[in-house]
Amino acid sequence: MSVETTAPAVAGAVDKEVRRLDRVIIRFAGDSGDGMQLTGDRFTSETASFGNDLSTLPNFPAEIRAPAGTLPGVSSFQLHFADHDILTPGDAPNVLVAMNPAALKANIGDLPRGAEIIVNTDEFTKRAMQKVGYATSPLEDGSLDGYHLHPVPLTTLTVEALKEFDLTRKEAERSKNMFALGLLSWMYHRPTEGTETFLRSKFAKKPDIAAANIAAFRAGWNFGETTEDFAVSYEVAPAARAFPPGVYRNISGNLALSYGLVAASRQADLPLFLGSYPITPASDILHELSKHKNFGVRTFQAEDEIAGIGAALGAAFGGSLAVTTTSGPGVALKSETIGLAVSLELPLLVVDIQRGGPSTGLPTKTEQADLLQAMYGRNGEAPVPVVAPRTPADCFDAALEAARIALAYRTPVFLLSDGYLANGSEPWRVPEVDELPDLTVRFAQGTNHTTEDGTEVFWPYKRDPHTLARPWAIPGTPGLEHRIGGIEKQDGTGNISYDPANHDFMVRTRQAKIDGIDVPDLQADDPDGARTLVLGWGSTYGPITAAVRRIRAQGGHIAQAHLRHLNPFPPNLGEVLTRYERVVIPEMNLGQLATLIRAEYLIDALSYTQVNGMPFKAEQLATALEEAIDGH
């Protein structure tokens, strides 16, 4: 983080020094009831409107309400923003806002020496500190001497600022997160109008609560402006050079994915149907799509995972762009119906927002451990294409690509996002409509086969010679009546068949259809003719790219490639892999892509793995990649 100091600027009653920074990493942390996610969201929205590049990492407990003041109950929100192109939420915070002792203890290990810590001293009671194992107050025992500590009685100041409102003390205390947001907004010169407008809208039916939150927000701003403890404020200029011209907005992965699904349905001129059952971290897609009935979107919250995908498959049979959303445990329940969709050869998008497992596992933590389940988690030979977005904004394009494949090839398609992408956010350029792909579908309209006696009939499994896709016949179309079901079908006619040769042919044909899907070649980023390639997929893109940049900035040579299509692989993947002496594959699992690469291409890929529920840190990856370059 580079710093430029300017002459003191007049800010209200006190002259304060303003320092210009190129980037900052801030982490808000507190009890799960302290509103840290809302605080982070608002700071992020104002940062996006200011024009910085940004990346976020929300992190919260799985419990609806973990015990107050305990380490398992700590919720945090990390934001990395800069005046240049960035790729990750950052390795280590420059600033920690700790609302209680648990938040301090849970996060202090991530802070580098010299970082700033803003603590709510009102919460550092003897009982609260003992609850998390502090024998003495860390604010007084010298353990924080290596940091820039700002003790602020946030609760007291908030209650004092709201004394004119007819609120109980408990009600007033709830606004302390807005006081903290105001203080940080002053420190980093964030806009304020958007937050005030948001609060008026959020509490439109409770204008007194809206006014109290705005008052607390302004009080935090004024406190920063007038107190002597904060002698310096900071500026991070907009990232004007990081973005091509266009209209931008801040967007999370789940929101981008939702918009991508709506755009796909419009480009295909098909109604969008979502059959889903709520599950973390996929539920936001159901919530968002339910708002868009005006775009022909129908959402169905089913009684369980199986009913959700059953309804979606029925909608696909009826001519809709059908989607089901879930996470890993839900995929396991949906597997039989996914196999049925393979057999029926109907388009169906299976959106898996991966999380830590097995079983219920870590519902609010990220992981990439469903790849092999997506590839092979069905009985029989039931191949399914797999597409994976690489950033939150890329979820929009990945949804369009998954829809393209499903509609063109009449197949279910897995879209593998994860919790890190789903909840994280970044700037997204809103595309023009003419930039979107044409996904127009042609339904079967009449007979397509002539029998030996000259009769014109409809064969539901007579295939397109290029895509091997079967015709999509809408129920009720005169003359297109046909049998449907899960039992093996006779080639062409779709009649039930137990003939061994026919089954062998149908199995190989379904596999050939997936193998023949048109996907673009893999592009390797290799400016220096490196001998080591780092290959990634999904959300590891940001940390890998940041690590590669660090290595190249220090004079190292390394190539990078990232997979969007995991089944089928890009046609030139084998040729790319054989160019390099070493191939390193970082994954948030125990090496699932590495297993597939070794099996498919007989490449002795080096697997670098992590399954701690958190994304890779760039510095951690850079060290591992440097060792690979050196041959260790």
Side-chain angles (χ1 to χ4, degrees):
M1 177 177 64
S2 64
V3 180
E4 180 183 339
T5 303
T6 67
V10 176
V14 182
D15 286 348
K16 301 251 182 166
E17 179 183 319
V18 179
R19 296 179 185 172
R20 291 193 175 92
L21 308 176
D22 61 352
R23 65 184 184 91
V24 174
I25 303 168
I26 297 175
R27 183 181 296 176
F28 298 93
D31 197 67
S32 57
D34 285 338
M36 293 297 93
Q37 303 304 318
L38 174 62
T39 305
D41 282 339
R42 289 313 315 158
F43 196 92
T44 298
S45 294
E46 299 297 355
T47 296
S49 69
F50 188 72
N52 296 118
D53 195 9
L54 62 90
S55 179
T56 68
L57 177 62
N59 187 18
F60 40 86
E63 293 85 355
I64 293 174
R65 188 67 173 91
T70 63
L71 293 174
V74 173
S75 175
S76 68
F77 188 105
Q78 183 162 308
L79 166 68
H80 182 191
F81 61 102
D83 65 1
H84 57 278
D85 176 34
I86 57 174
L87 298 152
T88 75
D91 289 356
N94 307 117
V95 182
L96 171 66
V97 180
M99 303 297 281
N100 61 15
L104 178 64
K105 187 160 191 177
N107 292 281
I108 189 67
D110 291 338
L111 266 65
R113 291 290 174 172
E116 295 195 69
I117 304 176
I118 301 171
V119 295
N120 180 13
T121 56
D122 289 326
E123 295 296 321
F124 278 73
T125 63
K126 184 176 180 180
R127 184 171 181 273
M129 290 186 289
Q130 288 177 340
K131 191 179 289 187
V132 296
Y134 280 129
T136 60
S137 172
L139 309 184
E140 301 170 355
D141 63 10
S143 60
L144 300 179
D145 287 350
Y147 306 94
H148 295 296
L149 180 65
H150 301 280
V152 180
L154 287 172
T155 306
T156 299
L157 291 171
T158 303
V159 172
E160 178 67 20
L162 302 184
K163 63 182 181 181
E164 65 184 75
F165 293 88
D166 185 22
L167 299 173
T168 65
R169 180 179 177 87
K170 187 174 183 180
E171 288 172 335
E173 287 178 359
R174 290 174 182 160
S175 296
K176 63 182 181 289
N177 64 324
M178 288 297 104
F179 188 101
L181 177 60
L183 173 57
L184 268 292
S185 297
W186 171 83
M187 283 182 67
Y188 292 98
H189 296 234
R190 299 297 90 185
T192 60
E193 296 81 3
T195 292
E196 294 193 9
T197 300
F198 166 82
L199 290 171
R200 291 189 187 97
S201 174
K202 180 176 176 64
F203 298 108
K205 296 181 180 179
K206 298 179 179 179
D208 290 346
I209 299 298
N213 277 282
I214 291 171
F217 176 67
R218 291 175 177 174
W221 176 283
N222 293 332
F223 177 77
E225 192 172 75
T226 57
T227 183
E228 294 182 3
D229 189 39
F230 292 89
V232 178
S233 65
Y234 304 92
E235 287 184 348
V236 180
R241 298 179 181 177
F243 305 119
V247 176
Y248 285 83
R249 59 157 294 166
N250 182 52
I251 201 164
S252 69
N254 273 351
L255 184 56
L257 201 154
S258 300
Y259 287 175
L261 294 174
V262 174
S265 75
R266 294 298 81 208
Q267 293 302 104
D269 196 23
L270 298 176
L272 178 65
F273 180 90
L274 173 67
S276 183
Y277 179 75
I279 183 171
T280 302
S283 300
D284 287 342
I285 303 171
L286 171 60
H287 301 160
E288 181 61 34
L289 289 180
S290 67
K291 303 174 184 177
H292 297 292
K293 295 178 182 178
N294 57 313
F295 287 113
V297 179
R298 294 186 180 93
T299 53
F300 170 56
Q301 181 175 320
E303 66 269 28
D304 55 41
E305 296 281 4
I306 299 172
I309 190 172
L313 185 57
F317 178 62
S320 292
L321 176 59
V323 185
T324 189
T325 53
T326 188
S327 191
V331 174
L333 291 168
K334 296 177 188 292
S335 61
E336 181 180 4
T337 307
I338 298 171
L340 176 60
V342 172
S343 176
L344 300 182
E345 301 188 45
L346 286 171
L348 174 67
L349 300 186
V350 181
V351 178
D352 178 6
I353 314 296
Q354 301 167 94
R355 72 189 203 191
S359 188
T360 309
L362 306 172
T364 60
K365 310 301 180 184
T366 195
E367 207 163 271
Q368 287 184 298
D370 293 348
L371 176 57
L372 293 184
Q373 179 178 220
M375 290 286 289
Y376 303 119
R378 294 161 296 283
N379 66 299
E381 295 286 347
V384 173
V386 180
V387 175
R390 62 185 189 179
T391 69
D394 187 49
C395 289
F396 178 86
D397 295 314
L400 284 163
E401 175 64 359
R404 176 190 74 85
I405 293 172
L407 295 172
Y409 294 89
R410 311 285 197 266
T411 177
V413 178
F414 262 101
L415 182 57
L416 288 185
S417 179
D418 61 40
Y420 172 39
L421 296 183
N423 296 315
S425 60
E426 66 176 353
W428 172 58
R429 187 181 72 83
V430 181
E432 300 292 337
V433 173
D434 58 10
E435 296 174 12
L436 302 178
D438 181 4
L439 303 179
T440 304
V441 173
R442 294 182 63 184
F443 292 113
Q445 298 297 323
T447 58
N448 60 3
H449 184 76
T450 304
T451 62
E452 292 182 358
D453 64 3
T455 305
E456 297 290 329
V457 296
F458 173 69
W459 273 14
Y461 283 84
K462 187 167 186 175
R463 302 178 182 279
D464 181 288
H466 301 292
T467 65
L468 298 183
R470 76 175 187 87
W472 194 0
I474 301 300
T477 305
L480 303 191
E481 298 85 358
H482 58 281
R483 289 186 176 90
I484 207 76
I487 295 178
E488 183 63 285
K489 298 135 186 68
Q490 184 181 48
D491 177 43
T493 68
N495 296 332
I496 294 173
S497 173
Y498 292 97
D499 178 68
N502 178 78
H503 177 58
D504 183 275
F505 178 81
M506 292 294 281
V507 167
R508 295 181 187 277
T509 300
R510 287 188 289 261
Q511 182 65 58
K513 180 171 69 170
I514 304 306
D515 293 341
I517 291 174
D518 180 25
V519 302
D521 280 344
L522 180 67
Q523 301 298 317
D525 174 21
D526 185 4
D528 301 310
R531 295 186 297 175
T532 300
L533 171 72
V534 54
L535 178 69
W537 71 278
S539 67
T540 57
Y541 174 78
I544 289 174
T545 306
V548 166
R549 287 181 180 179
R550 293 188 186 197
I551 292 171
R552 290 176 180 171
Q554 296 168 3
H557 302 302
I558 189 166
Q560 177 187 3
H562 208 79
L563 291 169
R564 162 169 284 179
H565 297 90
L566 295 150
N567 192 33
F569 285 131
N572 70 327
L573 176 56
E575 184 271 324
V576 170
L577 295 174
T578 55
R579 295 181 205 162
Y580 299 94
E581 295 178 10
R582 285 176 294 276
V583 176
V584 185
I585 304 179
E587 298 180 78
M588 292 188 293
N589 56 47
L590 294 183
Q592 296 188 16
L593 175 61
T595 297
L596 294 174
I597 293 296
R598 289 168 181 154
E600 182 74 17
Y601 300 104
L602 303 181
I603 296 289
D604 187 19
L606 304 175
S607 186
Y608 184 74
T609 65
Q610 171 179 295
V611 281
N612 61 6
M614 297 292 287
F616 284 110
K617 293 182 177 180
E619 186 62 36
Q620 163 197 3
L621 269 182
T623 300
L625 295 176
E626 286 167 351
E627 292 176 354
I629 292 171
D630 294 336
H632 298 319

